[in-house]
Amino acid sequence: MSLLVEMRGIEKRFPGVYALKAVNFDLVGGEVHALMGENGAGKSTLMKILSGVYQRDAGSVQVSGQNVTFDGPKAAQNAGVGIIHQELSLMNDLTVAQNVFIGREPRSFLGVIDEGLLNQRARDIFQRMNFNLDPTTETGHLTVAKQQMVEITKALSYQSKILIMDEPTAALNDAEIAELFVIIRRLKAEGVGIIYISHKMDEIKKIADRVTVMRDGEYIDTVDAAQTPLADIISMMVGREVKEETLEIPDLSESQQVLEVKGLNRGKAIRDVSFTLKKGEILGFAGLMGAGRTEVARAIFGADPIDAGEVWVNGKLCSIQSPNDAVAAGIGYLSEDRKHFGLALGMDVRANTAMATLSRFYNAFGVLDEGKMEAVAKGYIEQLGIRTPSDTQEVGLLSGGNQQKVVIAKWLLRDCDILIFDEPTRGIDVGAKAEIYKLLEALAQQGRAIIVISSELPEVMRLSHRIAVMCQGKLTGILPGGAATTQEQIMALATQ
Amino acid sequence: MNTESQVKPVSLLSRLFDITAHQRLLAFASLVVLLVFFSIASPNFMQTSNMLAILQATSVNGVLAVAATLVIITGGIDLSVGTLMTFTAVIAGVLLTNLNMPLPVGLLGAILTGAFCGFCSGSFVAKMKIPPFIATLGMMLILKGLSLVFSGARPIYFSNTEGYDEISRGSLIGEVLPFLPIPNGVLILFIVAGVASYVLSKTILGRYCFGIGSNEEAVRLSGVNTDRWKIAIYSVAGGICGIAGILMSSRLNSAQPALGLGYELEAIAAVVIGGTSLSGGRGSIIGTLIGALIMAVLTNGLRVLSVAQEWQTVVTGIIIILAVYADMIRRQKA
């Protein structure tokens, strides 16, 4: 087998940090090579070097046996290295074919774009790959899974032999993931080498041939995916054993009911949802993408208007028109999208921690008490184990797990009785995930009522005392947590 | 996201040179370079009288630019600052000359009118969800028209108000320290800038100002009534425009209803040169002050060198593009 990619002794320094130290990586045609490691391990940096975004400081890169130094993404693309970013970079208002051939449109007389030929070329690739796509559809109308197919088509249209996929399944549901895997196998059969970055351990077993693990910018090892137990891969990633904690469901029969939602309705997104939540309870929300879980959370929180429904907090009917009202009623919402809805990334840890409680820190003239804010922020940095050089560090520079902790600190400071966590561990690595789980459990033990929305079934089952399942805007059932419920039972309710 | 956004150690040096501070340094260095250049090019430039003229010329634009800075940090833009300045001057004229009111009523009237107009712009933006560019463009035209209506399209002279021109042209500092005849207009600029700078960095209004500019939705989802704070920020900016209106009319000892259009662009230019990001979340009053000074030094210096007025405008335009370009290059490197 010929080597498609051979990277040897790659080094990369950023001001003040060693991002990569003597990293080796290779890729054979027709294999799926998983690249694993916690956030900050250096996976993305390595791939950015391979795809020409960054320049290496030392080491060698060979592509198809040739020594190469890419001075930009275009050079890498021309050499057959395609990358499909986690956040897709498509132009939503252009058609599928226009997206695929952007910058390389076939021209006819006088430089007019030949749309017919453009569409035909796209169609050829769709047929070869067996994609069910229409080249003339506007890309913005497609599902995330279909958009990903457009990205793959784009990479293939460059005759890419090397395809880098950065967390391709992050936004896909199970059916779509299965479909993606079919595509990946077809690509393998054509001799394409695939570098697969993912945090989802179960996928590695399903799709990868080899696994390379990185940690703290260093190469750890490359192992055979089929023969290596997951636990070994995890411990290579985190550098220690991670024990899977089991769920203990507390007896909440005496516990007071803090939240009751009755007949919540909002267009087609939320249809007649009712449920209750007790003090100290963790209620999980499971369901496929678009089942309406986030919509329910946003409606309760007053972030979106509702058509009908009542929200009772501590036995009192609350009229929640805005997040402002919800917070006043003691409800906190931690969005699935921290960067857009949870944090002001350009501001520091201190300001973000105090964002929901600034009114506690100013005097009659509106002047903020920085000393008090600093003390509080430092307290939470300590309590939650937020890894940051100081409380004046810009939040945008922290890792995903630490950013999530800052959001949690913000709501803890606000003393919310009810906390809604929407995808609390999205984009967070294995080690930090366990920490977040422990934190949620500790919060419940302290008497807070918690709702956890998660697309990862193991996560819902790991945390929830009860599991609410949604499908197409409806609450299709509430199952007991723990060993009493199987994944199959949840999936049955989620796909009614 | 699995970007490599691991905790990066921050050295004291890099803290010192963080983004806004760095841009301020760049702007300050440009100012020094300009000063040195013009003093070598013309012996008349570094005269005390000329320096005072530059400061005096900065005062109105500087105050307007402070107002614009507040709005721009929230990620908005205020195109109405120029005509709002004129409108408040006309209101002061109507109150003092046409209605013969006492001086404090005129001054307060101008500032409150400014704040009220800012309140309107802020409400259009926050409550009616009209993009700031459009909302304040509309406001700019409304106020331009109203200035002409209220004044009867004629200048209003402050003939009934003894010493109105002293507000800007007199020198309180000069009375105490005769060797330092800094005009009141400049003193007022520095007071306004100092207070605004303090408000931005130390108060809840300032914190929300940066928060909204950095990520409005995140602030809203923190349970903050962002609409109300936005309106408050536009209102404060409007009130500051009222102060600019007083300064302007005092300097001319009259309210000129046809003036004002174009001032908003000069103010925005000063803000941009000073390193405040038009996309919001980043910026400083000190930067804006330096930006306003750069523009005044440029205009004055070119005039001293007898460069034609038309070319002065061309050079100012080039400076704006260069300033922002330098900022872009530095940001890409960072």
Side-chain angles (χ1 to χ4, degrees), chain A residues 341-399:
Chain A
F341 303 131
L343 294 164
L345 290 180
M347 300 177 82
D348 60 19
V349 174
R350 189 194 298 174
N352 273 287
T353 305
M355 192 59 85
T357 38
L358 271 190
S359 52
R360 282 190 217 164
F361 295 104
Y362 69 89
N363 64 16
F365 301 104
V367 177
L368 293 165
D369 184 344
E370 290 287 345
K372 204 167 140 196
M373 283 166 65
E374 180 182 354
V376 167
K378 283 190 166 157
Y380 279 108
I381 289 172
E382 175 100 350
Q383 185 192 333
L384 303 182
I386 302 172
R387 278 183 287 279
T388 171
S390 83
D391 65 316
T392 53
Q393 174 82 342
E394 233 178 73
V395 166
L397 299 175
L398 301 182
S399 70

Side-chain angles (χ1 to χ4, degrees), chain B residues 315-332:
Chain B
V315 171
T316 311
I318 293 172
I319 293 287
I320 292 173
I321 291 170
L322 285 181
V324 176
Y325 179 58
D327 190 33
M328 285 297 163
I329 290 182
R330 197 185 40 71
R331 233 169 259 246
Q332 277 165 7

Side-chain angles (χ1 to χ4, degrees), chain A residues 42 44-45 87 166 301 303 323-324 339-341 343 356 362 366 368 370 387 389 393 397-399 410-411, chain B residues 1-2 4-10 15 198 202-204 207-208 211 214-215 217-218 220-225:
Chain A
S44 293
T45 311
E87 269 143 41
D166 190 356
F301 190 61
N324 197 14
K339 292 189 176 172
H340 285 122
F341 303 131
L343 294 164
Y362 69 89
L368 293 165
E370 290 287 345
R387 278 183 287 279
Q393 174 82 342
L397 299 175
L398 301 182
S399 70
K410 174 171 87 177
W411 290 112
Chain B
M1 273 295 288
N2 64 333
E4 314 297 284
S5 50
Q6 194 68 332
V7 179
K8 284 174 194 147
V10 179
R15 287 212 75 101
Y198 184 79
K202 297 289 178 205
T203 70
I204 190 162
R207 194 55 46 88
Y208 284 144
S214 181
N215 190 344
E217 188 63 5
R220 187 177 83 93
L221 291 178
S222 296
V224 176
N225 191 335

Side-chain angles (χ1 to χ4, degrees), chain A residues 136-287:
Chain A
T136 59
T137 322
E138 228 174 76
T139 313
H141 295 159
L142 298 174
T143 61
V144 178
K146 297 259 173 174
Q147 290 184 3
Q148 213 164 46
M149 287 185 197
V150 178
E151 287 271 24
I152 293 173
T153 308
K154 193 171 163 184
L156 292 177
S157 73
Y158 278 95
Q159 318 294 330
S160 298
K161 295 299 276 177
I162 299 150
L163 207 53
I164 304 166
M165 297 181 140
D166 190 356
E167 297 219 39
T169 59
L172 304 189
N173 65 35
D174 287 353
E176 291 167 336
I177 291 173
E179 202 176 341
L180 177 71
F181 284 179
V182 172
I183 294 169
I184 290 178
R185 291 197 183 97
R186 204 171 295 135
L187 289 168
K188 275 175 68 169
E190 292 205 358
V192 175
I194 294 165
I195 303 171
Y196 192 92
I197 300 178
S198 176
H199 282 126
K200 296 188 188 168
M201 302 303 300
D202 53 329
E203 287 178 1
I204 302 309
K205 281 281 177 195
K206 278 189 206 145
I207 197 75
D209 299 301
R210 287 193 297 161
V211 180
T212 288
V213 177
M214 293 178 68
R215 187 171 75 231
D216 299 332
E218 289 181 66
Y219 170 84
I220 302 299
D221 201 2
T222 301
V223 294
D224 186 283
Q227 285 165 15
T228 316
L230 278 182
D232 291 6
I233 296 176
I234 293 175
S235 58
M236 275 195 275
M237 283 165 59
V238 298
R240 59 180 187 275
E241 295 273 338
V242 177
K243 265 195 308 210
E244 194 57 45
E245 307 267 335
T246 46
L247 172 67
E248 273 178 46
I249 298 179
D251 177 18
L252 295 167
S253 53
E254 300 291 305
S255 191
Q256 181 198 338
Q257 181 174 306
V258 289
L259 177 72
E260 181 168 15
V261 174
K262 282 187 197 166
L264 201 63
N265 270 290
R266 174 165 179 258
K268 283 182 182 169
I270 307 171
R271 297 188 226 183
D272 206 25
V273 168
S274 305
F275 65 91
T276 62
L277 181 66
K278 283 180 167 179
K279 197 174 167 180
E281 182 177 38
I282 301 179
L283 175 65
F285 266 78

